[in-house]
Amino acid sequence: HVQLVESGGGSALAGGSVRLSCAASGYTFNTYSWFRQAPGQEREGVACIFTFGGMTHYADSVKGRVTISVDKNKNTMYLQMNGLKTEDTATYYCAAPMGDWYSLSFVRRAPLSENAYSYWGQGTQVTVS
């Protein structure tokens, strides 16, 4: 049973930091991503990491403020967010693609497209004031 479980959300002040975690179980993924969705807005890709090689992708809205990382031993992904802004307020979701060739090819072409991902966590709220 594949499962992604996020944690680490909460309230923070503008300019502060928050670290989100995503624990995966049931499968070892080679690609992880973070998405977020603010009320009334579409879900937005935030960051992606390919665990083999460590290549990362970031949305322009978070570049320079956010770092995605993965601990392969723990099968856990992280999102370190610094310099928080009120517009970072959203529910944050971790996601992973299926392991077939088509899905992995898709995610390499469009790492921040939600259509590339089949597995999603339940989300964790981040509120910046």
Side-chain angles (χ1 to χ4, degrees):
H1 175 62
V2 177
Q3 195 171 18
L4 299 173
V5 179
E6 303 96 337
S7 61
S11 298
L13 296 176
S17 298
V18 66
R19 189 193 194 205
L20 307 181
S21 300
C22 172
S25 59
Y27 191 78
T28 300
F29 296 100
N30 58 22
T31 305
Y32 292 95
S33 286
W34 286 98
F35 287 77
R36 67 184 181 186
Q37 188 168 23
Q41 297 187 22
E42 294 185 354
R43 190 152 52 184
E44 171 193 23
V46 176
C48 172
I49 185 167
F50 297 97
T51 60
F52 293 111
M55 183 179 295
T56 57
H57 296 269
Y58 295 98
D60 289 342
S61 57
V62 301
K63 276 181 183 176
R65 302 188 295 117
V66 164
T67 302
I68 187 172
S69 61
V70 62
D71 185 331
K72 297 178 186 179
N73 292 329
K74 295 182 178 179
N75 221 15
T76 299
M77 175 185 59
Y78 304 95
L79 188 71
Q80 178 69 41
M81 301 180 66
N82 302 321
L84 287 168
K85 303 177 180 181
T86 55
E87 50 262 45
D88 293 323
T89 296
T91 301
Y92 284 73
Y93 300 90
C94 64
M98 294 182 68
D100 62 283
W101 178 86
Y102 176 81
S103 297
L104 295 178
S105 297
F106 191 166
V107 77
R108 287 196 173 274
R109 293 195 306 272
L112 296 182
S113 168
E114 62 177 309
N115 294 326
Y117 298 89
S118 298
Y119 300 105
W120 294 85
Q122 82 288 350
T124 186
Q125 178 68 34
V126 173
T127 302
V128 183
S129 59

